Amino acid sequence: MILVLVEHEGGRPIRSSLEALTFARALGGSAEGAVAASAAAAIGTAASGSGTLEAVLFGRGATDVAGQLGAFGVGRAHVVEIPEVDDYAPAAWGRALAQLAEAGRCDAVIAAGTERGNEVMAYAGAMTGAAMAANCIEARPGNPWTVTRQRWGGSLLEEARLAGPSPRLLTVAEHVVAPEEAATAVSVEVSMYSPTLADGDLRTRVVGRVPRAPGSVALSDARVVVGGGRGVGSAGGFEPLEELATLLGGTVGVSRVVTSAGWRPHTEQVGQTGARIAPDLYIACGISGAIQHIVGCKASKAILAINTDAEAPIMARASYAVIGDLHTVLPAINDEIRRRIGSV
């Protein structure tokens, strides 16, 4: 049996968790007992096979989200109840995962390679003594299991062997597997689970949230991201970027230098120490394209770079490029979009 940690937001599972479910379903259903990330989407269109796929969810709204997972082949979903906290608590989540994995005699426990997924799985590994591999793109069961995983922000692929007893703990690198529903949806059995926590498991937890602005789009879900870097010049310089994002139904992302300068919040940062995005279009404005930033945006289907420096590293990654001052280019783009919208 394979158990998958499913993160959710706004009443639905996040994209990265759907990627992890696709990866896990293929791993459980592959006749050869192996799955490569590049082929996971194709394998995932088949039925889930002989492997059993279960999910675990935490926090407010988990029960409603659990009922949606049958489309991805989940036959049973465990909704964890922790009376002391209804939000994120990494050690408590790790403890619950460890106990569920032991009770279910899981072959593997899988999570998305998000900040939370990697943190919770590290706790679970420390509590169980089981081997844990982060940011995997391929897994091959055997004795021992073999995994291929991303290192150094994806610039290096490492093959590793997971020795020791079950379960194997894996996180799936974000945006290397296309989320795919199962060929046939199944009925989800939803059960409640109350873990036995140890002293200190609730020492670190989320006690409050700052809500996202109404109508805004999360970076992880946005089909269009308008990114701004040092070339924007100031906090006030983001006005045309915000306007373009609104016109295109997208959201604003930034490079690390922008958050370091205090121009925009860290929640908007794209990169190795920020969000990893996979929009249909990433418009990089005044961003040089350091490798740490490329790690965060390389899964974009298309990149449009706007920069005065034709030799900037981002240009080597761009599908399209405009060599010019973003303060001149963006207002012209916005005016043309508004003109076309008005003529429809």
Side-chain angles (χ1 to χ4, degrees):
M1 188 263 283
I2 298 177
L3 181 67
V4 180
L5 169 62
V6 175
E7 300 176 56
H8 56 95
E9 183 178 357
R12 56 195 181 95
I14 66 170
R15 175 191 170 100
S16 296
S17 287
L18 296 181
E19 295 170 355
L21 284 172
T22 302
F23 185 98
R25 188 173 73 248
L27 179 60
S30 172
E32 294 78 21
V35 57
S38 60
I43 298 173
T45 59
S48 58
S50 58
T52 301
L53 185 60
E54 299 189 5
V56 56
L57 302 93
F58 298 80
R60 291 185 295 269
T63 302
D64 293 336
V65 176
Q68 304 171 27
L69 302 180
F72 284 83
V74 174
R76 186 177 185 186
H78 306 270
V79 175
V80 178
E81 295 181 305
I82 304 176
E84 298 87 348
V85 59
D86 60 359
D87 210 308
Y88 183 55
W93 285 27
R95 184 78 63 185
L97 271 182
Q99 292 173 4
L100 280 167
E102 181 179 5
R105 297 183 179 181
C106 296
D107 296 309
V109 181
I110 295 176
T114 60
E115 289 184 356
R116 287 190 174 187
N118 285 325
E119 183 176 31
V120 171
M121 294 291 274
Y123 271 104
M127 292 168 179
T128 61
M132 183 260 186
N135 298 318
C136 297
I137 65 170
E138 185 178 352
R140 297 183 294 279
N143 189 20
W145 279 36
T146 303
V147 299
T148 302
R149 66 194 194 107
Q150 293 182 349
R151 295 289 304 275
W152 305 109
S155 60
L156 172 70
L157 295 181
E158 173 190 85
E159 184 175 285
R161 290 173 175 80
L162 301 184
S166 295
R168 277 72 180 184
L169 309 180
L170 312 175
T171 64
V172 181
E174 291 186 273
H175 310 317
V176 297
V177 179
E180 293 283 348
E181 295 184 355
T184 303
V186 299
S187 178
V188 185
E189 176 190 347
V190 179
S191 62
M192 310 307 292
Y193 181 76
S194 297
T196 301
L197 301 182
D199 292 341
D201 282 350
L202 295 176
R203 185 178 295 122
T204 302
R205 54 181 171 152
V206 172
V207 296
R209 286 177 175 268
V210 177
R212 187 182 292 114
S216 62
V217 182
L219 273 173
S220 58
D221 298 328
R223 296 184 62 183
V224 177
V225 176
V226 182
R230 187 191 304 272
V232 176
S234 66
F238 276 86
E239 184 176 344
L241 281 76
E242 292 176 339
E243 182 180 3
L244 179 57
T246 299
L247 288 169
L248 297 177
T251 193
V252 171
V254 301
S255 65
R256 182 175 179 177
V257 68
V258 170
T259 61
S260 297
W263 297 347
R264 307 285 294 194
H266 174 72
T267 52
E268 296 181 353
Q269 183 180 326
V270 174
Q272 187 168 358
T273 55
R276 302 194 182 196
I277 60 174
D280 293 337
L281 175 62
Y282 180 51
I283 304 175
C285 307
I287 295 175
S288 63
I291 185 60
Q292 292 86 351
H293 187 76
I294 295 300
V295 166
C297 69
K298 65 181 181 180
S300 304
K301 292 182 176 64
I303 297 176
L304 166 61
I306 302 174
N307 206 300
T308 56
D309 181 6
E311 302 301 321
I314 191 70
M315 295 302 182
R317 298 277 183 169
S319 310
Y320 311 95
V322 176
I323 311 302
D325 186 345
L326 67 92
H327 300 291
T328 300
V329 175
L330 285 185
I333 293 175
N334 293 341
D335 288 345
E336 180 63 16
I337 292 175
R338 283 197 302 270
R339 185 188 71 79
R340 295 199 177 198
I341 292 175
S343 64
V344 174

